Amino acid sequence: MTNTQTLANPIAERISRISESSTMKVAADAERLRSQGVDIVDFSAGEPDFATPDNIKQAAIRALEQNFTKYTNTAGTLELKKAVCEYHTKNFGTDYKPNECIITVGGKHIIFNLTQALVNPGDEVVIPAPFWVTYKDVVNYAGGKCVFAETDEDKGFTLTASMIEPYLNSRTKMVIINSPSNPSGAVLDRSEFEDIFRLTSERGIYLVTDECYCQFLYDSEPYSIASQPSAKETVIVAGSLSKTYAMTGWRIGFGLAPAPIIGAITKLQSHSTSNPTSIAQKAAAEALLGPQDSVKIMLAEYRRRRDFVVQRLREIPGVKCAEPRGAFYAYPNLEVVLGKNGIRTTVQLAERLLSDAKVAVVPGEAFGTNQHIRLSYATSMKELERGLERIHEFVVANS
Ligand SMILES: Cc1ncc(COP(=O)(O)O)c(C=O)c1O
């Protein structure tokens, strides 16, 4: 079946409001070439190259052996909800209760569910740019309007409260913050985060904090805005175990929010996925409350790679790269090749990097900026060395 096939009856209008995830598209293009025997260096996937730690896998095996293989409550097991609340208290000093928690099928699922549960057609959602691709599509899907707030590349894409304030008005329903950021690795300073919280809470605007990369910080301590007094009224935490514990395939995320919002999301979830996989929930409880050494080991390795990638990118003539302070992405500026040899956009740049240099990267346009590409350094040093050499040669040949 091809995309051009004429249907007897059209696809619903709401599907035209969203586009295919560009990160997944690049990964699929790279996979297609790889299956044809082409030697591709893949920097596109936002996926740890580490195995899921053994204690977590053992918990899943035990769950299977004990036949923990049936439906659970739609919003997740009480055991896992308690584990999430305890983890959040231990790490950030919050005091969520299980009725303020929902377990979802990955972090993406809580972002989707909460936007569908809260955003009405015409509501505005403020999103700092560059942004993770999914925010835009899920807000559009709900009929909301995305309002993008620029950040300052010269200051490492950092965000300040004064960059958000001009966009807040009576139509603003929520602000979505992702710190550390995918794609830039920027980390929001605590005092600026608190100022943004003050701006949103006094106006009754929801502040969504996507804590997907919260444990991967290179020069600051893990922090949650949900620890602020009275944050529980307007802050919504979107969490994921995917990156922290190298569990992307297990599909476990969570939300922490006022109980009525959890109730609305549970209603929605009860008619779509129902509960996340029972076995994965057992493994997730072990991940959150078991030994945390593996997280430190991964962070140390990501730091080593971050240092290498940034230094290597900065060696390429004309390439600028802000230093990522968290997560595992670099977001270099490749303006130097734009307008040269038929490369006008970063989408074309990513296509040419794939076809000519055999390196898969994600174009910055997917994240709301026009001169960048995103490189994930969640891959081996050997691949980083090979891929950066290829990018260097490509840029020199095309600038
Ligand atoms: C910023 C951000 N939030 C949430 C997620 C969701 O992760 P998952 O659905 O795999 O748990 C991702 C994944 O790439 C992400 O980058």
Side-chain angles (χ1 to χ4, degrees):
M1 203 183 287
T2 67
N3 284 340
T4 53
Q5 184 183 348
T6 309
L7 295 174
N9 222 313
I11 286 167
E13 177 274 330
R14 71 181 84 87
I15 295 298
S16 68
R17 292 187 227 143
I18 54 177
S19 27
E20 185 188 0
S21 161
S22 36
T23 40
M24 297 204 172
K25 183 181 176 308
V26 176
D29 289 347
E31 187 48 42
R32 187 174 32 77
L33 287 174
R34 214 180 283 115
S35 69
Q36 293 163 8
V38 182
D39 169 29
I40 299 290
V41 176
D42 193 351
F43 293 157
S44 69
E47 171 156 79
D49 57 321
F50 299 98
T52 304
D54 207 48
N55 62 314
I56 301 173
K57 291 194 283 200
Q58 290 305 324
I61 292 167
R62 277 195 305 278
L64 269 176
E65 284 170 353
Q66 291 163 7
N67 291 317
F68 192 72
T69 53
K70 304 288 170 66
Y71 290 132
T72 72
N73 283 341
T74 293
T77 60
L78 185 59
E79 179 198 23
L80 182 52
K81 286 192 283 186
K82 279 184 174 166
V84 167
C85 296
E86 191 180 326
Y87 159 87
H88 219 264
T89 304
K90 216 158 51 186
N91 281 266
F92 306 115
T94 52
D95 69 342
Y96 285 100
K97 305 281 179 293
N99 69 334
E100 297 164 318
C101 177
I102 184 165
I103 311 301
T104 55
V105 184
K108 203 174 255 188
H109 194 206
I110 182 60
I111 307 269
F112 180 83
N113 281 355
L114 77 87
T115 45
Q116 305 317 301
L118 289 171
V119 176
N120 279 315
D123 284 350
E124 294 186 3
V125 177
V126 177
I127 302 170
F131 48 81
W132 181 47
V133 283
T134 291
Y135 303 142
K136 173 170 72 60
D137 288 280
V138 295
V139 169
N140 288 340
Y141 191 71
K145 180 174 172 236
C146 296
V147 177
F148 300 114
E150 294 301 315
T151 55
D152 187 348
E153 180 176 6
D154 291 335
K155 295 196 177 120
F157 296 100
T158 49
L159 177 71
T160 62
S162 60
M163 293 171 180
I164 294 282
E165 190 167 17
Y167 298 106
L168 304 180
N169 60 50
S170 59
R171 293 179 300 281
T172 313
K173 186 73 177 229
M174 69 173 62
V175 174
I176 303 179
I177 302 289
N178 172 219
S179 174
S181 150
N182 174 5
S184 72
V187 172
L188 181 51
D189 282 341
R190 194 170 169 150
S191 64
E192 294 292 341
F193 216 153
E194 288 170 5
D195 287 347
I196 292 172
F197 167 64
R198 264 188 290 281
L199 290 175
T200 50
S201 64
E202 68 195 18
R203 291 166 170 82
I205 294 169
Y206 290 115
L207 178 57
V208 174
T209 173
D210 180 346
E211 298 183 348
C212 185
Y213 299 95
C214 65
Q215 299 292 347
F216 295 143
L217 292 161
Y218 301 117
D219 56 20
S220 56
E221 289 302 308
Y223 167 71
S224 177
I225 194 65
S227 62
Q228 283 292 297
S230 79
K232 279 170 77 174
E233 288 161 30
T234 50
V235 168
I236 301 174
V237 176
S240 166
L241 277 75
S242 298
K243 321 285 170 152
T244 312
Y245 300 104
M247 290 179 74
T248 44
W250 300 70
R251 310 309 302 138
I252 296 289
F254 60 85
L256 296 166
I261 296 179
I262 296 297
I265 293 174
T266 305
K267 202 157 63 161
L268 178 61
Q269 190 156 306
S270 76
H271 294 296
S272 54
T273 57
S274 295
N275 62 276
T277 305
S278 56
I279 305 151
Q281 290 193 64
K282 281 283 185 191
E286 169 63 24
L288 293 169
L289 300 183
Q292 302 293 302
D293 322 0
S294 52
V295 182
K296 291 195 184 67
I297 293 168
M298 287 189 262
L299 176 61
E301 181 57 22
Y302 288 143
R303 181 197 306 278
R304 193 168 80 92
R305 297 174 189 177
R306 188 269 316 247
D307 292 346
F308 172 75
V309 168
V310 171
Q311 187 206 330
R312 193 66 193 74
L313 283 166
R314 288 177 177 170
E315 282 167 15
I316 305 174
V319 172
K320 284 195 291 181
C321 184
E323 174 147 280
R325 295 177 56 213
F328 44 63
Y329 306 102
Y331 202 55
N333 185 316
L334 267 76
E335 187 187 5
V336 65
V337 293
L338 296 175
K340 316 270 167 59
N341 296 338
I343 305 170
R344 286 186 310 280
T345 65
T346 63
V347 171
Q348 291 168 341
L349 171 57
E351 282 166 5
R352 288 282 297 280
L353 274 168
L354 189 59
S355 63
D356 300 6
K358 313 283 185 267
V359 180
V361 300
V362 185
E365 269 129 78
F367 307 102
T369 71
N370 293 327
Q371 298 176 336
H372 306 84
I373 54 171
R374 189 196 75 176
L375 274 65
S376 162
Y377 49 85
T379 187
S380 70
M381 278 301 261
K382 184 164 155 272
E383 286 301 277
L384 291 172
E385 281 164 16
R386 271 170 15 102
L388 283 158
E389 188 57 40
R390 292 181 185 188
I391 294 175
H392 191 134
E393 281 169 19
F394 177 89
V395 172
V396 169
N398 288 284
S399 54

